[in-house]
Amino acid sequence: MKLKFKITQIAAVTALAFAGNAFAADVEVLHYWTSGGEAKSVGQLQQMVKEAGFGWKDFAVAGGAGENATTALKTRVISGNPPTAAQIKGPSIQEWGAEGVLANIDEAAVAGKWDAVLPKVVADIMKYKGHYVAAPVNVHRVNWMWVNPEVLKKAGVVGTPTTWPAFFEAADKIKKSGGIAIAHGGQPWQDATVFETVALGVGGADFYKKAILKLDQKELTGPTMLKVFDTLGKVKTYIDKDAAGRDWNLATAMVINNKAGFQFMGDWAKGEFTAAGKVPGKDYLCVAAPGTEKAYTFNIDSFAMFTQKDANAKKGQIALANAIMNPKFQSIFNLNKGSIPVRSGVSKDKFDACALKSMDDMDASNKNGGLVPSFAHGMALPSATQGAVTDVIAKFMNTNMSSKDAVAELAKAAKVK
C-alpha cells in the first residue's frame, strides 16, 4: 500500500511538472535568420511567445538570401501543411494572399492599434484586401551613402556631397589621390540598389513612384530616365576593375579600411562598421545618397500568417503577431540587426546616431510623401518583373550599352509579368 501511495505521488508530481510546461499549441515559424545577431533576436521572440503560453517550433532555412526558405515554404503549402508563420515580404504577401492561404490577424492589429503606429504605406503592404495578414518586424533604409571622412580629407574634399555634381567632383579628387571613389560589388542586386538610389536622387520621389512603382511607360522612356542612366553610367566609372562578384560586406570593408571613400548600401552595412569598432560621426558617416535627403527607400522584414485548422494554433498566431509588434522586441531585434523599429512608440535611448537619423528621416519622408518601397530588395514589384528590370541594369553596368538603349530595354522589361 505504501509503495502504491508513493507511485501515485510521483505520478501526480510528474503530471504537474508537465502541466507547468504544457503549451496550448506550438507556433511553427519558418525564417532565414541564422546569423549571430539574427538568431539571438529570434531567441527573444521565441521567449515572448512562450511567455504568452505557446510553444515554438523553429523552422530555420539558411542560405540563398531567403530563396531556400521560399522553396521550402512552397513545398509545405502545396502539401497542405503550411507553417504557422513564414518570413516573406513585399508583393510576395499579396501573391500568397491571392492563393487564399493567409490568415486574418485583424484581432491583433485592432487591439494593438497598428493603423495608428505604422506608416500607411507600410500597413498597406501588410494587408490583403484590407485585412492584416502579416506583421512587420523592422525597417531597413536602402538609400544610404557610407562615407570614410579620412579618405575624403586625404583627397582634399571639403564636406560631404549632397548633389550628384558635387559627388562627382569629390570622386574625381579621390581618384586623383590614388584611392577608390566607390566601393561596390558587381552583383545584380547591388547594381539594382545603386540604380534605384540614382533614380531617386535624379528624379525625386514622384518620378520614382511613377517610373519604378507604377512602371509608367511615359516616365520609363522619358528624358528623366535617360538622365538617370547617364548619371549611373558616370557612377560606374568610379568603381574599381575588381568589383565583379564582390560581396557587399567586402565592399564595406574597403570603406572601413581607408581604401574607398563611398559605398551605396542599405543600413545592414552598419553592422560591419560596428563589428570593426568604428564610431558613427567619427570614423564613418551615414548620409542620404545625393539628392535623396528628403526621401527614404525602405526594405521591411515581415512574417505572414498561414491559415491553420486548429483553434489554438490560430490563437498562437495572434500571440506571435503581438510579440512581433511589442515595443520591447522591436527594440531588441533592431539593435541587433542594424535596422530601426517599424512602429512608433519604441524607446530611442539605445540607438546610435545613424539609427536616430534613419528614424527622423523616415518620419519626415512619411509626412512629405517621400517614403517609398525598394524595388531592388523585393518590396515593390512582382518577382518576374523585378528580375527582368534587374537584368537590364546589370547589363548596363557590365557592358558599353548606351543610356538610350538601356531606356528602351527597361521599358520592355517593365512589361514582363
Side-chain angles (χ1 to χ4, degrees):
M1 290 294 291
K2 286 183 179 179
L3 179 61
K4 185 177 180 181
F5 177 72
K6 285 183 178 180
I7 292 173
T8 304
Q9 275 188 316
I10 292 170
V13 171
T14 303
L16 283 171
F18 277 106
N21 292 323
F23 296 111
D26 280 338
V27 173
E28 185 181 19
V29 183
L30 189 161
H31 64 90
Y32 46 91
W33 285 329
T34 54
S35 71
E38 292 171 340
K40 183 180 179 182
S41 298
V42 170
Q44 181 65 35
L45 184 60
Q46 178 179 340
Q47 183 58 36
M48 293 178 73
V49 169
K50 286 183 176 180
E51 288 173 1
F54 295 88
W56 178 283
K57 189 176 181 181
D58 205 49
F59 188 178
V61 182
E67 292 175 8
N68 295 345
T70 299
T71 300
L73 177 62
K74 288 178 180 177
T75 301
R76 286 287 300 273
V77 174
I78 290 171
S79 67
N81 182 33
T84 314
Q87 184 185 354
I88 57 177
K89 63 182 182 179
S92 293
I93 296 173
Q94 307 305 311
E95 291 170 7
W96 281 112
E99 294 294 325
V101 294
L102 296 187
N104 183 322
I105 55 170
D106 282 345
E107 179 184 337
V110 171
K113 300 180 180 178
W114 292 11
D115 279 345
V117 300
L118 293 174
K120 186 178 184 302
V121 66
V122 174
D124 288 345
I125 292 172
M126 300 301 129
K127 295 177 181 178
Y128 178 69
K129 291 188 175 179
H131 298 285
Y132 279 98
V133 293
V137 181
N138 63 342
V139 177
H140 281 294
R141 186 181 195 176
V142 179
N143 61 309
W144 279 121
M145 179 170 72
W146 304 93
V147 185
N148 183 312
E150 188 63 33
V151 172
L152 268 61
K153 183 180 178 181
K154 180 183 175 183
V157 177
V158 179
T160 305
T162 58
T163 66
W164 286 111
F167 175 83
F168 292 131
E169 284 182 22
D172 281 331
K173 291 181 179 179
I174 292 172
K175 205 171 181 179
K176 288 178 182 177
S177 72
I180 297 169
I182 302 173
H184 182 66
Q187 297 173 335
W189 73 268
Q190 293 191 60
D191 292 338
T193 298
V194 177
F195 167 81
E196 74 174 17
T197 295
V198 171
L200 186 64
V202 170
D206 287 341
F207 167 76
Y208 183 94
K209 290 175 183 177
K210 292 175 184 176
I212 308 298
L213 305 186
K214 297 181 180 179
L215 301 174
D216 183 290
Q217 285 290 315
K218 183 179 178 181
E219 294 292 346
L220 286 171
T221 57
T224 302
M225 186 58 78
L226 189 66
K227 187 177 179 182
V228 168
F229 276 105
D230 284 344
T231 305
L232 185 63
K234 193 165 184 178
V235 164
K236 72 178 184 179
T237 64
Y238 296 100
I239 296 171
D240 68 291
K241 60 181 177 61
D242 298 321
R246 178 187 289 141
D247 288 333
W248 69 268
N249 57 311
L250 297 180
T252 305
M254 292 167 65
V255 180
I256 293 172
N257 297 321
N258 299 331
K259 292 182 178 179
F262 305 102
Q263 182 188 20
F264 298 106
M265 187 53 61
D267 55 19
W268 47 90
K270 187 177 68 173
E272 299 298 307
F273 287 97
T274 302
K278 303 300 182 180
V279 179
K282 177 186 174 185
D283 302 311
Y284 69 96
L285 307 175
C286 49
V287 298
T292 71
E293 177 63 33
K294 294 183 178 180
Y296 192 115
T297 43
F298 65 83
N299 176 23
I300 296 175
D301 290 310
S302 55
F303 282 100
M305 308 296 170
F306 284 76
T307 303
Q308 303 292 305
K309 296 176 182 177
D310 183 76
N312 282 326
K314 293 178 183 178
K315 291 178 181 178
Q317 287 179 325
I318 299 302
L320 175 61
N322 287 335
I324 289 170
M325 284 290 283
N326 186 302
K328 179 183 176 182
F329 173 71
Q330 291 269 323
S331 177
I332 292 171
F333 178 86
N334 289 290
L335 285 168
N336 287 329
K337 192 80 161 58
S339 45
I340 65 170
V342 68
R343 57 158 296 161
S344 60
V346 178
S347 173
K348 299 180 179 181
D349 292 348
K350 296 181 180 179
F351 288 91
D352 63 25
C354 291
L356 293 175
K357 177 169 174 53
S358 185
M359 291 177 193
D360 290 342
D361 288 356
M362 180 179 167
D363 287 341
S365 61
N366 183 42
K367 293 173 183 175
N368 66 26
L371 186 61
V372 292
S374 164
F375 103 83
H377 295 272
M379 294 301 302
L381 303 176
S383 55
T385 312
Q386 179 185 334
V389 169
T390 299
D391 286 346
V392 173
I393 296 164
K395 184 178 179 181
F396 178 81
M397 291 292 285
N398 293 284
T399 67
N400 292 321
M401 177 187 276
S402 69
S403 295
K404 185 178 179 181
D405 288 344
V407 165
E409 288 294 320
L410 187 70
K412 289 180 184 177
K415 295 178 181 179
V416 174
K417 303 295 183 184

